[in-house]
Amino acid sequence: MLAQTIATPEVPWSLLWPFLLMALGAVVLVTLTSLVPSLRTRGFAAFYTATMAVGSVVSLYWIWNRVQDEGGRIVVLDGALSLDYFFLFTAGTISLAVFFAALLLDDFLRREGLDGPEWYVLIMLSAAGGLMMAAAEDLIVTFLGLEILSISVYVLAALHLRRRDSQEAGFKYFVLGALSSAFFLYGIALIYGATGSTRLSEIDAALFISNARGLTPAEDSSLLLAGMALLIVGFGFKVSAAPFHMWTPDVYQGAPTPITGFMASAVKVGAFAGFTRVFLAAFGRLGNDWRPVIGAMALLSIVIGSFLAIKQDNVKRMLAYSSISHAGFILIGLHSAGSIDAAVSALGSRSVLFYLFAYTFMVVGTFGVATLVGRHGDGAHGLADYAGLSSRQPILAGLLVVLLFAQAGIPFTSGFWAKFGVIEAAVRGESYVLAGAAMVAAVVGAYLYLRIIVSMYLTQPAVEADDVAGPGPIIMAPAATMAIFFAVAATLLWGVLPDVGGDVLRDAATSFLR
Amino acid sequence: MFAAEAAEAVSFPLLPALVLVPLLTAAVIGLMPAERDDYARIIALVGSTITGALSIYLLADFQTADGGFQFVVERDWIADLGLSLRLGVDGISLFLVVMTGVLFPIGILATSADHDAKPYHLWIMVLMAGSIGVFMALDLLLFFMFFEIVLVPMYFLIGSWGHGDRVRAALKFFLYTMAGSALMLVGIVAVVFLTNQHTGTVTFDIRELASAQALTTNEARVVLLVFALAFAVKVPLFPLHTWLPDAHTEAPTVGSVILAGVMLKLGTYGFLRFGLYLFPQAAHDLAPVFLTLGVIGIMYGAIVATVQRDLKRLIAYSSIAHLGFIILGLFALNSQGIQGAVLQMVNHGISTGALFILAGWIYERRHTREIAALKGLQKAAPVMAGVFTLVMLSSIGLPGLNGFVGEFLILLGAFSGARWWGIVATSGVILAALYLLWAYQRVFHGTPDQDNAVMPDLRLSEFLSILPLLGLIVFLGVYPKPVLDRMEPAVDELITHIEANVDDFVEPEPAPVVEQDQRDLLVEALHEAEEKAEAAGEEGE
């Protein structure tokens, strides 16, 4: 009812501020800097992007008030986008990731002698795609968002023009990404065939009718199940969940480090937002059909992410595996969110959202440190490059320790609460085996973080780090250091007071409850 | 009573202070400029001493006759998940808190960092905050968080300031313990969830969970086993002990002291508070398993300790034996056994802590822990030999010293509650005399050869730093009444709780504890132990 009165054909510009700031902001930036060369100084673009990100968060607050007045949900653009608490929360997280990326990127570009506002333009465009995925109420819009998000990131991955690794990463990412997009699109087609619509609410309604007719969905349409499976492939690729994770280590390792951080935060949040929305809003009634698949993927991701990380020597590669394992944990949350039991479902969604939020800070901070340690040439990412970091850069090492322990889920960090939320939802849903297996595999995963810590604190560097031939000293660039400090502060804040902003989280978690 | 508690909480939040003071000290140390790290030790000493003083104030303020939790503090944390910051102590945890509070300043005073004093003391203070927190947590999840967080400082202490293969030992320690408790988090949530299903309230408060007793027998058994896995690694119980010798041996002295003195108790305390108290029925059903593992630990630890070449390793294995006794006492499921177990937790902290400090001093002087390389130290360092003798005798359980009281109570409890296990365990007492006396004899007796002959004796400052422990060893041995008086109501309440919640279970008829009989038993045991000591001594000569 409500939706119909709001969904007027004209565009409610005021409600689209976050999208406009990111998408149009990017266009404006590229125009401005090409017309006014004096603005092409490096600081401006970073400042601009950070401002846009902050502006996006502010506009989200304004929209939040509107959404509250409208009863928790505004559907705009003739049903293309649904502005609800879930969108607001995930969009806020994506905006934060953009903010951090801008801070990290500024110093990085200076150090590498790279130029140009195009990095920032692409980041903002990509974020716009992420926002679309978070809000998309129609599978086609989800796909549009996915493509905007991905294509920008393909380019970003390859943008370090002087490093072959970067080119290779971009290429690999693009080829595999394009393939997964094809799967995704085919999935949409099949679902359209099965239900007659690409609109999430209409798909849900079609499933409701088929249920009411007394048909189980399986006999109603194997087409539908095949479509769902293909969507899982597409999303699984984007969130880098096993068995669709193959690209992750190579791309994470090869891409410019701040961009890797952006991929692990904003891209992951956007993809998970789309994943969660589609599967809860459209296929919520088919939970029993897709949950086992998600559960299996979750377990596989955690196991692969934890075990394969053991033998790695490159920190970025290790973090890539860790990101696979984190995706597995988030999938456990999604698994619970698909439960028919409303309480379990709410807990599940909540755990997904909190995990994404906490992980954004952790991973941005971690890759921030990696950016600094990478030094000139962005190549010093071996474990050996971290040797003795505690004596060379005690503050940096200390910050990284917090972030790594947070990723390992040690108490009094936000990472602990993220894991706790996921486990809690799983146990409430009586998925004891999943929860237990995940925790045990996570111990293996902890070894990965400990190895980095051992290297920093308990190993002496083989050669003097400030060797002339080496990549030069670590420069604690101010903006990046600030970003890392923010990330650590947030990790500790939500570690000690996990309920800060809890109401927003709870509202967001109940967006899809029927 | 409640009014008194409330007033206490308002006037001065004693329990939070016990966690926050060390934490603040750590923060102060952290903020100090790195080049002035000579101040770190002094700041740590002041901070830990204040904490220790607070814990003694706690002891003084404790209501002796009250068996419940006192000084309770509650703050909402995540309200809708039923999580609160709940702290409280009863007669059981009280002494563990005090022991922790006393052991840390002594450990800091008695040792020093050979490099990087600033982070070293910072981690010690974090460790202190965490370990005191564990004993005070009344919230299941808060307990788990403290239980896990102590791994971090200990990991760094072993890894950075340890000896030999320290990195490997630290990793092994961390991963082993973390693996043990991986499932515990699932178990914790399961308890809360299953209780919620039966009662409708969501709470992590152990008092409510314990009184609800909502889990079915099988659920409780599974959860207890999951918990037990975490605790068994920590204690450590027999097949899960392999991390301990490495960690103890490679750790710096203060690390070993705290590991043995405090951190092993997290496991036994966990068994007591989160095994017996939360799942009395399951604990009763599974008691034979734990009793057997405990007794195996006693025998195994003692036998393996006998053949060690490394002094610290020997003490480490002796810990396994001692902790076996504690498990035996706990699962005897009667008042004497549990009182003895709790007392023995404290005793073991004192005497093994002191032993590790002494071993550390010997290492500092001689740069070796090989028993074979040490000889005749008695001649060179008579004071140290004397101190060592006293501490060792306390560890053996010589009557008149603290170890005896605990062991005696445990065996008394075991004879009525778990007779056959008790009988086997008694022989462990003899073995303890064997390995310690033998080691003592090899290290201190005989004519010192060159290096050993010139080993300096204890400095006055060293002697003073260990003096409080010596005092406690004698005091608790001669007059344990003040401790037992405070412990007894809490233990009795626990026994009542177990009796109420276990089908067909009455506390096993205790061994006749008429004053007269007990005195006889004491005298008898006293003679017996003396003979044993003599016999072992002669054997050694």
Side-chain angles (χ1 to χ4, degrees):
Chain A
M1 284 301 288
L2 207 59
Q4 280 167 0
T5 52
I6 301 296
T8 45
E10 80 262 24
V11 181
W13 295 107
S14 60
L15 286 171
L16 298 178
W17 269 112
F19 303 94
L20 297 175
L21 284 173
M22 287 297 155
L24 283 186
V27 176
V28 168
L29 177 63
V30 79
T31 319
L32 262 184
T33 45
S34 50
L35 290 180
V36 189
S38 61
L39 286 181
R40 225 170 291 162
T41 52
R42 292 190 185 108
F44 171 71
F47 179 73
Y48 179 90
T49 310
T51 314
M52 289 294 138
V54 173
S56 163
V57 174
V58 173
S59 70
L60 283 169
Y61 177 70
W62 188 80
I63 298 173
W64 185 52
N65 285 329
R66 286 285 303 275
V67 168
Q68 262 186 331
D69 295 342
E70 303 285 347
R73 184 178 172 84
I74 307 174
V75 179
V76 295
L77 296 178
D78 197 18
L81 297 177
S82 162
L83 306 180
D84 47 25
Y85 295 126
F86 179 85
F87 160 74
L88 292 166
F89 189 89
T90 45
T93 312
I94 293 172
S95 306
L96 274 174
V98 171
F99 178 75
F100 280 116
L103 290 186
L104 293 183
L105 207 48
D106 183 42
D107 297 316
F108 176 79
L109 294 180
R110 281 167 206 267
R111 192 184 71 200
E112 300 296 309
L114 292 164
D115 198 25
E118 64 269 21
W119 294 73
Y120 300 97
V121 172
L122 287 167
I123 280 189
M124 282 194 278
L125 277 178
S126 170
L131 297 183
M132 275 177 81
M133 286 185 83
E137 187 56 19
D138 190 303
L139 284 176
I140 297 294
V141 180
T142 309
F143 181 71
L144 268 180
L146 185 78
E147 285 302 282
I148 297 174
L149 173 91
S150 310
I151 292 175
S152 316
V153 178
Y154 301 149
V155 181
L156 280 169
L159 212 50
H160 198 314
L161 299 174
R162 284 197 300 280
R163 283 184 63 235
R164 210 170 42 189
D165 291 0
S166 174
Q167 314 290 310
E168 183 193 324
F171 188 67
K172 272 188 185 157
Y173 197 14
F174 171 68
V175 172
L176 287 171
L179 186 69
S180 81
S181 296
F183 275 106
F184 192 84
L185 204 53
Y186 195 23
I188 296 177
L190 293 185
I191 284 162
Y192 181 73
T195 61
S197 175
T198 55
R199 195 67 52 87
L200 301 189
S201 54
E202 287 174 15
I203 294 171
D204 180 54
L207 296 177
F208 178 64
I209 292 165
S210 64
N211 270 352
R213 274 204 236 110
L215 300 169
T216 63
E219 47 183 306
D220 199 37
S221 167
S222 51
L223 214 54
L224 184 70
L225 291 182
M228 256 171 24
L230 290 175
L231 288 191
I232 290 179
V233 174
F235 279 126
F237 179 88
K238 285 295 161 208
V239 302
S240 62
F244 313 110
H245 66 281
M246 301 297 183
W247 60 277
T248 316
D250 287 345
V251 174
Y252 273 39
Q253 184 183 358
T257 314
I259 299 306
T260 315
F262 182 74
M263 291 193 314
S265 53
V267 174
K268 208 162 213 156
V269 176
F272 261 114
F275 203 162
T276 311
R277 181 182 287 279
V278 168
F279 276 79
L280 294 187
F283 305 124
R285 295 177 202 283
L286 298 185
N288 288 341
D289 291 306
W290 56 263
R291 283 181 71 203
V293 181
I294 300 289
M297 277 169 71
L299 213 51
L300 199 60
S301 303
I302 296 174
V303 170
I304 285 183
S306 306
F307 280 84
L308 293 193
I310 293 176
K311 291 305 268 181
Q312 305 302 327
D313 282 327
N314 184 296
V315 170
K316 275 169 86 180
R317 218 176 163 79
M318 291 163 101
L319 291 173
Y321 281 107
S322 113
S323 132
I324 296 171
S325 131
H326 284 294
F329 268 98
I330 302 173
L331 282 178
I332 294 183
L334 183 57
H335 176 268
S336 309
S339 169
I340 296 162
D341 184 342
V344 176
S345 174
L347 273 177
S349 310
R350 175 174 164 174
S351 71
V352 168
L353 291 167
F354 185 80
Y355 209 117
L356 288 172
F357 179 73
Y359 183 62
T360 296
F361 287 109
M362 292 188 272
V363 82
V364 164
T366 313
F367 278 109
V369 176
T371 306
L372 296 181
V373 178
R375 283 167 278 180
H376 184 66
D378 198 18
H381 294 297
L383 259 186
D385 293 308
Y386 285 76
L389 192 66
S390 66
S391 48
R392 280 182 288 150
Q393 292 287 351
I395 294 177
L396 199 61
L399 293 173
L400 185 56
V401 163
V402 176
L403 294 164
L404 291 176
F405 275 129
Q407 295 204 43
I410 295 294
F412 301 105
T413 64
S414 59
F416 171 78
W417 294 107
K419 285 217 166 70
F420 172 75
V422 166
I423 297 298
E424 197 201 14
V427 169
R428 290 280 168 101
E430 308 202 7
S431 314
Y432 295 107
V433 176
L434 196 55
M439 286 308 289
V440 172
V443 176
V444 181
Y447 177 64
L448 140 82
Y449 308 115
L450 288 180
R451 276 185 72 201
I452 303 179
I453 294 170
V454 165
S455 179
M456 287 195 297
Y457 278 85
L458 312 179
T459 317
Q460 289 309 310
V463 281
E464 197 47 50
D466 303 334
D467 206 323
V468 210
I474 295 172
I475 300 160
M476 295 283 277
T481 311
M482 192 172 79
I484 299 165
F485 261 109
F486 272 153
V488 170
T491 302
L492 291 176
L493 171 68
W494 271 280
V496 178
L497 301 170
D499 212 24
V500 171
D503 294 337
V504 181
L505 190 60
R506 272 184 282 279
D507 285 342
T510 48
S511 289
F512 304 120
L513 289 186
R514 278 162 243 277
Chain B
M1 193 60 241
F2 283 110
E5 279 171 17
E8 199 67 48
V10 170
S11 62
F12 184 68
L14 195 52
L15 300 191
L18 282 168
V19 177
L20 290 176
V21 170
L23 216 51
L24 282 178
T25 313
V28 170
I29 295 174
L31 292 173
M32 261 185 0
E35 53 276 11
R36 296 315 308 269
D37 66 358
D38 45 335
Y39 277 108
R41 181 154 189 248
I42 297 168
I43 297 176
L45 212 49
V46 170
S48 59
T49 310
I50 293 175
T51 317
L54 284 175
S55 73
I56 288 168
Y57 176 75
L58 181 77
L59 180 66
D61 223 27
F62 190 83
Q63 307 287 323
T64 308
D66 180 13
F69 289 100
Q70 303 185 26
F71 307 99
V72 175
V73 178
E74 292 201 57
R75 285 273 183 291
D76 271 353
W77 204 6
I78 312 182
D80 62 324
L81 293 186
L83 278 171
S84 293
L85 294 165
R86 297 189 185 86
L87 300 173
V89 289
D90 66 355
I92 293 169
S93 48
L94 173 70
F95 292 100
L96 295 169
V97 171
V98 175
M99 180 194 70
T100 312
V102 171
L103 213 50
F104 266 89
I106 292 176
I108 295 171
L109 194 63
T111 62
S112 57
D114 48 0
H115 62 94
D116 292 322
K118 182 181 147 178
Y120 174 84
H121 289 101
L122 188 149
W123 288 126
I124 292 181
M125 294 318 290
V126 173
L127 186 60
M128 184 174 195
S131 18
I132 290 190
V134 173
F135 294 127
M136 301 192 305
L138 293 186
D139 185 284
L140 206 44
L141 195 71
L142 189 62
F143 167 80
F144 179 78
M145 293 176 75
F146 281 127
F147 189 80
E148 287 271 277
I149 196 71
V150 290
L151 296 185
V152 175
M154 190 46 94
Y155 166 78
F156 278 106
L157 282 175
I158 298 176
S160 291
W161 291 273
H163 317 282
D165 202 356
R166 56 200 163 86
V167 174
R168 194 177 140 273
L171 267 180
K172 192 171 173 184
F173 160 76
F174 194 101
L175 291 176
Y176 223 101
T177 323
M178 193 175 174
S181 50
L183 287 176
M184 192 178 166
L185 186 61
V186 181
I188 287 174
V189 181
V191 174
V192 173
F193 166 61
L194 293 169
T195 307
N196 167 41
Q197 276 192 331
H198 295 284
T199 63
T201 53
V202 182
T203 179
F204 284 82
D205 188 332
I206 56 166
R207 291 162 298 176
E208 284 180 42
L209 292 172
S211 61
Q213 288 298 324
L215 273 65
T216 65
T217 316
N218 273 331
E219 287 166 354
R221 281 181 193 162
V222 172
V223 175
L224 176 65
L225 279 178
V226 165
F227 280 26
L229 184 65
F231 301 143
V233 170
K234 229 16 172 227
V235 169
L237 272 185
F238 163 63
L240 303 172
H241 64 277
T242 57
W243 64 270
L244 179 127
D246 285 344
H248 271 63
T249 314
E250 311 303 0
T253 302
V254 75
S256 311
V257 171
I258 301 307
L259 253 181
V262 179
M263 287 183 73
L264 303 188
K265 310 308 172 336
L266 303 189
T268 45
Y269 176 74
F271 267 118
L272 177 58
R273 183 73 83 212
F274 302 94
L276 300 188
Y277 181 51
L278 277 189
F279 313 108
Q281 175 76 56
H284 173 256
D285 297 343
L286 294 171
V289 177
F290 299 119
L291 286 170
T292 309
L293 291 178
V295 170
I296 292 178
I298 296 174
M299 307 304 292
Y300 172 86
I303 291 168
V304 179
T306 316
V307 298
Q308 290 306 312
R309 295 200 186 112
D310 182 312
L311 196 56
K312 271 179 102 176
R313 246 186 141 74
L314 184 145
I315 306 171
Y317 276 106
S318 84
S319 283
I320 297 180
H322 280 124
L323 272 286
F325 269 108
I326 296 175
I327 294 292
L328 177 69
L330 289 181
F331 283 95
L333 295 179
N334 55 36
S335 174
Q336 288 159 328
I338 295 175
Q339 279 192 50
V342 178
L343 193 59
Q344 195 63 359
M345 287 187 217
V346 177
N347 291 336
H348 176 256
I350 295 170
S351 47
T352 308
L355 276 180
F356 272 122
I357 291 177
L358 287 164
W361 284 339
I362 293 177
Y363 180 77
E364 242 171 54
R365 290 165 163 76
R366 292 280 294 101
H367 302 289
T368 181
R369 297 184 308 254
E370 283 282 312
I371 295 174
L374 303 166
K375 200 179 171 201
L377 296 186
Q378 203 171 26
K379 295 262 181 352
V383 179
M384 182 192 264
V387 173
F388 201 102
T389 312
L390 185 72
V391 174
M392 173 196 66
L393 290 176
S394 137
S395 188
I396 292 175
L398 190 80
L401 301 178
N402 62 346
F404 172 73
V405 187
E407 248 171 44
F408 181 68
L409 278 171
I410 288 175
L411 289 176
L412 214 56
F415 275 116
S416 58
R419 175 148 304 149
W420 291 107
W421 287 282
I423 288 171
V424 180
T426 314
S427 56
V429 181
I430 303 167
L431 285 171
L434 175 70
Y435 62 76
L436 276 170
L437 285 174
W438 193 33
Y440 178 81
Q441 184 207 343
R442 282 180 291 167
V443 171
F444 285 95
H445 287 183
T447 327
D449 40 18
Q450 289 176 337
D451 277 349
N452 292 323
V454 295
M455 195 186 88
D457 203 350
L458 287 192
R459 287 187 297 272
L460 183 64
S461 61
E462 286 173 334
F463 180 71
L464 289 179
S465 68
I466 206 168
L467 194 61
L469 293 181
L470 303 183
L472 282 173
I473 285 175
V474 176
F475 177 77
L476 289 177
V478 177
Y479 191 57
K481 191 170 176 304
V483 177
L484 293 176
D485 279 351
R486 283 168 176 76
M487 205 182 284
E488 203 171 349
V491 172
D492 284 344
E493 221 162 88
L494 179 66
I495 294 289
T496 320
H497 174 74
I498 295 175
E499 278 181 349
N501 288 297
V502 177
D503 303 334
D504 313 324
F505 174 74
V506 235
E507 182 188 354
E509 192 60 32
V513 281
V514 193
E515 287 297 304
Q516 187 63 40
D517 288 351
Q518 191 162 19
R519 215 173 302 148
D520 282 349
L521 279 169
L522 268 164
V523 170
E524 244 170 60
L526 203 136
H527 282 305
E528 194 186 328
E530 267 172 356
E531 276 161 22
K532 243 183 282 163
E534 275 165 25
E538 277 161 23
E539 197 180 334
E541 297 287 339

